[in-house]
Amino acid sequence: PLSYALDSIGPLAASVACCAAMDAVLSGEPEALPPAVPDLAGLRFAIPTTVVLDGLDAAVASAFHRAVEVLSKAGAKITEITVPEFAALGGINAKGGLAAAEAWHWHRTLLESRGERYDPRVKVRMMRGRDMSAADYIDLLKARPEWIRSVEAHFAPFDAVLMPTVPTIAPRIEELADEGEYGRINMLMLRNPSIINFLDGCALSVPCHSPGEAPVGLMIAGVGGRDRAILGIGEAISRALA
């Protein structure tokens, strides 16, 4: 366990249909995909321009924009929106966030008795929770619902939100040898998924790179409880990109 508030379970599979089948088993849903996969024509997609497009490398930027163009040509209506709340999230989590507080709560006895058995790069993140006060934690619990309500208002007119799953292709192992560089890359890779995680939303990542290119994911996201709809939309998008 890492965080009671943030941990969630989801499948990794070879296709959207396989993800939907496994998700149906995990969640007790009677059907894997909606009876009719939606037609992309007329669907409304939002692309947030705040934070989530920052720092894209050339490969991710190219693959993402190609995918958006395919969806647009298929009839989807795509709108860029600003979401100022995304920029505020760093400040909300400045002291370590829910993950640090809740990971420290669960792991503190093991960290104190067998801390040397933890990956040091994981341990240092958990240890931040030791210095958070009860008031810090309560501040987070109070800030999150208001943040979610504000973001949901931005998303309400749209069927789904599109963004790169992560802003760069996978780094080479040697790039992670330096601790400072590891920390920078690690936070960059966590950034976009963490936003939807804090939203208590749902998301699907589908490949959007061309054959022979390094893998790039297109994130299709929605607010909490829209899992079935996002899987159906994701299947339609996956077919279009194929």
Side-chain angles (χ1 to χ4, degrees):
L2 181 71
S3 169
Y4 304 103
L6 300 174
D7 286 352
S8 61
I9 297 171
L12 298 172
S15 69
V16 176
C18 288
C19 281
M22 180 57 92
D23 184 77
V25 173
L26 292 170
S27 61
E29 294 283 347
E31 296 178 343
L33 282 169
V37 172
D39 188 340
L40 286 174
L43 288 182
R44 300 157 300 167
F45 296 140
I47 297 177
T49 58
T50 311
V51 176
V52 300
L53 300 182
D54 294 350
L56 302 188
D57 69 16
V60 171
S62 176
F64 178 70
H65 292 306
R66 261 198 328 262
V68 169
E69 185 177 356
V70 168
L71 301 182
S72 181
K73 287 181 177 178
K77 184 178 180 181
I78 298 173
T79 306
E80 292 188 346
I81 63 171
T82 58
V83 187
E85 292 80 3
F86 286 4
L89 195 53
I92 292 172
N93 289 318
K95 294 185 177 180
L98 293 167
E102 293 174 351
W104 171 250
H105 164 75
W106 199 95
H107 291 270
R108 65 188 187 280
T109 301
L110 287 171
L111 285 166
E112 290 169 347
S113 63
R114 285 184 280 174
E116 75 284 352
R117 297 183 66 181
Y118 279 77
D119 183 312
R121 287 171 163 174
V122 174
K123 178 181 175 181
V124 71
R125 302 270 300 278
M126 292 180 170
M127 295 294 287
R128 294 189 69 190
R130 180 179 58 180
D131 300 322
M132 293 177 66
S133 67
D136 294 331
Y137 182 63
I138 292 169
D139 283 344
L140 280 166
L141 294 181
K142 289 176 71 67
R144 190 186 186 195
E146 182 57 39
W147 187 92
I148 289 173
R149 280 192 292 272
S150 296
V151 174
E152 285 181 341
H154 292 295
F155 287 4
F158 303 98
D159 296 294
V161 176
L162 306 177
M163 62 181 81
T165 305
V166 295
T168 72
I169 60 172
R172 295 182 180 277
I173 291 174
E174 58 264 27
E175 294 178 57
L176 306 176
D178 176 78
E179 288 300 316
E181 189 63 3
Y182 170 84
R184 184 190 70 80
I185 293 173
N186 182 230
M187 296 308 294
L188 194 61
M189 293 295 191
L190 290 171
R191 184 190 67 198
N192 291 3
S194 294
I195 287 173
I196 303 302
N197 197 193
F198 196 79
L199 179 65
D200 200 21
C202 53
L204 177 70
S205 179
V206 300
C208 65
H209 56 283
S210 297
E213 294 179 346
V216 175
L218 171 68
M219 187 194 299
I220 305 148
V223 299
R226 296 204 71 238
D227 304 65
R228 297 288 98 193
I230 292 301
L231 284 164
I233 292 168
E235 174 68 8
I237 288 176
S238 186
R239 291 177 186 180
L241 295 181

